[in-house]
């Protein structure tokens, strides 16, 4: 069977396996859990944490800020194509002047803390 016939989740797993098979020092991943079921996503998160703890560098792009908060030792926040904040989560919290989740910090740094009003 060809990989093009695989589900999105299976293609994602296959791509990750191909990226890891050579034991690279640096991984660049874009939304690595997108399209995965919750169990597979948790396995990917655990794998990324092991790689990080093993001294590997992982550049991770994600909209799942809870995953980034758990998996990353350093965070960069992009807004409208510009890097507006970066550093360890503790430094971002200090800069924001409060202990908050990464999601709350993102909203504060991008000045969009209040969600837009929905039309009636």
């Amino acid at each position: 069977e060809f990989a093009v016939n695989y589900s999105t989740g299976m293609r994602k797993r296959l791509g990750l396996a191909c990226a890891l098979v050579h034991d690279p020092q640096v991984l660049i991943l874009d939304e690595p859990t997108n399209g995965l079921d919750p169990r597979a996503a948790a396995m990917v998160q655990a794998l990324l944490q092991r790689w990080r703890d093993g001294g590997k560098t992982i550049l991770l792009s994600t909209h799942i800020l809870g995953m980034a908060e758990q998996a990353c030792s350093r965070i960069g926040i992009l807004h409208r194509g510009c890097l507006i904040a970066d550093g360890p989560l503790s430094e971002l919290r200090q800069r924001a002047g409060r202990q908050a989740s990464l999601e709350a910090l993102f909203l504060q740094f991008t000045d969009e803390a209040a969600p837009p009003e929905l039309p009636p």
Side-chain angles (χ1 to χ4, degrees), residues 29-77:
L29 302 172
D30 181 27
E31 301 288 356
T33 59
N34 187 29
L36 297 180
D37 63 80
R39 184 173 309 281
M43 289 172 58
V44 168
Q45 282 186 266
L47 177 68
L48 294 179
Q49 289 173 346
R50 278 193 308 237
W51 273 66
R52 179 203 63 205
D53 294 344
K56 308 286 184 173
T57 298
I58 302 169
L59 180 60
L60 174 67
S61 171
T62 185
H63 289 88
I64 304 172
L65 300 183
M67 180 178 76
E69 190 169 358
Q70 290 178 354
C72 299
S73 58
R74 187 174 180 89
I75 305 285
I77 296 177

Side-chain angles (χ1 to χ4, degrees), residues 6 8 10 12 18-19 39 50 55 60 66 76 82 85 87 89 94 96 99 101-102 112 117-118 120:
Y6 289 177
T8 300
M10 190 58 88
K12 184 73 81 166
C18 289
R39 184 173 309 281
R50 278 193 308 237
L60 174 67
C82 295
L89 186 56
Q94 183 178 13
Q99 290 288 33
S101 68
L102 180 54
E112 296 171 5
E117 291 291 325
L118 296 176

